Amino acid sequence: MIAWLATYDGKTLDGVPVSFTIDREHVISHRETWTGTECPGPYLQSRLDDIVARAREIFTAR
């Protein structure tokens, strides 16, 4: 999903302009936006850098 969204960077999606880069500034978890949540949990939270790296690989392989 991250790699797919990046294909719309600089375009519009359903009429909404998209500005999206595959990096940790743009790929964030619920925990990083709302206080008081444990989502996505410690395992997935600790893997976000790996998820971003894999999304970059998928995106550049297109």
Side-chain angles (χ1 to χ4, degrees):
M1 184 174 77
I2 295 167
W4 169 82
L5 182 57
T7 66
Y8 286 92
D9 184 44
K11 302 174 185 170
T12 60
L13 181 61
D14 291 333
V16 177
V18 176
S19 175
F20 185 77
T21 306
I22 303 174
D23 59 24
R24 281 292 282 126
E25 181 180 344
H26 293 89
V27 180
I28 58 175
S29 69
H30 291 128
R31 185 182 295 189
E32 295 168 311
T33 59
W34 291 285
T35 58
T37 182
E38 292 297 314
C39 183
Y43 176 74
L44 188 58
Q45 184 70 36
S46 69
R47 302 281 326 273
L48 283 175
D49 290 337
D50 298 330
I51 292 168
V52 167
R54 180 63 180 131
R56 280 189 192 136
E57 290 174 6
I58 293 168
F59 180 76
T60 56
R62 301 178 123 236

